């Protein structure tokens, strides 16, 4: 079955950086819009970044604009999320998922599927 697996999380200091990876198996990421979501304990899952399947148009929620960058490496069938200038409030489990629709504007969790197991990002001194 199709599968997405996240990796690259860890413990970082405030102001630090990580590169998260979303690796696809048994399907081609080229044909899917990919979103990154995060969920902190007691909080609802939040869409943070998205890259469209057509022209690579990207979206980032306001709170991460200028700090997070989403990109796609088709040769590796992988989508990345570079997360910089990290703050404690960025602490969460980060998930990737796919959407057939090409639009990134809404990032409703209900419209995404094939969720990965997530990777933990902890920002603390």
């Amino acid at each position: 079955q199709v599968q997405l697996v996240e990796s690259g999380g860890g413990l970082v200091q405030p102001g630090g950086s990580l590169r998260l990876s979303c690796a696809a198996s048994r399907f081609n990421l080229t044909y899917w819009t990919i979103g990154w979501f995060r969920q902190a304990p007691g909080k609802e899952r939040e869409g943070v970044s998205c890259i469209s399947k057509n022209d690579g148009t990207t979206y980032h929620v306001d709170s991460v604009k200028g700090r997070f960058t989403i990109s796609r490496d088709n040769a590796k069938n992988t989508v990345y999320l570079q997360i910089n200038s990290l703050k404690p409030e960025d602490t969460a489990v980060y998930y990737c998922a796919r959407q057939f629709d090409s639009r990134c504007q809404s990032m409703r969790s209900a419209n995404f599927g094939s969720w990965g197991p997530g990777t933990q990002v902890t920002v603390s001194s």
Side-chain angles (χ1 to χ4, degrees):
Q1 190 60 256
V2 299
Q3 187 177 54
L4 291 169
V5 178
E6 305 91 341
S7 63
L11 174 64
V12 296
Q13 299 178 83
S17 299
L18 289 169
R19 173 164 285 195
L20 310 183
S21 298
C22 173
S25 299
R26 296 184 290 276
F27 76 96
N28 193 337
L29 280 177
T30 301
Y31 306 122
W32 293 87
T33 295
I34 302 298
W36 281 97
F37 297 76
R38 65 186 182 187
Q39 187 166 27
K43 304 291 186 180
E44 293 187 346
R45 189 168 295 185
E46 173 193 29
V48 293
S49 299
C50 178
I51 185 165
S52 72
K53 68 180 182 180
N54 291 327
D55 60 1
T57 299
T58 60
Y59 164 85
H60 303 283
V61 70
D62 286 346
S63 61
V64 308
K65 284 182 178 176
R67 300 190 297 120
F68 289 16
T69 303
I70 189 169
S71 62
R72 185 192 300 264
D73 187 336
N74 290 329
K76 296 185 180 296
N77 211 26
T78 300
V79 168
Y80 301 99
L81 186 67
Q82 180 72 37
I83 56 177
N84 299 328
S85 302
L86 289 166
K87 307 173 182 180
E89 52 262 44
D90 295 319
T91 295
V93 178
Y94 283 71
Y95 301 89
C96 63
R98 69 178 190 174
Q99 181 189 63
F100 190 73
D101 195 290
S102 64
R103 295 170 295 177
C104 284
Q105 294 96 320
S106 61
M107 287 201 73
R108 295 177 59 194
S109 296
N111 293 335
F112 286 77
S114 299
W115 296 87
T119 186
Q120 175 73 47
V121 172
T122 302
V123 184
S124 176
S125 61

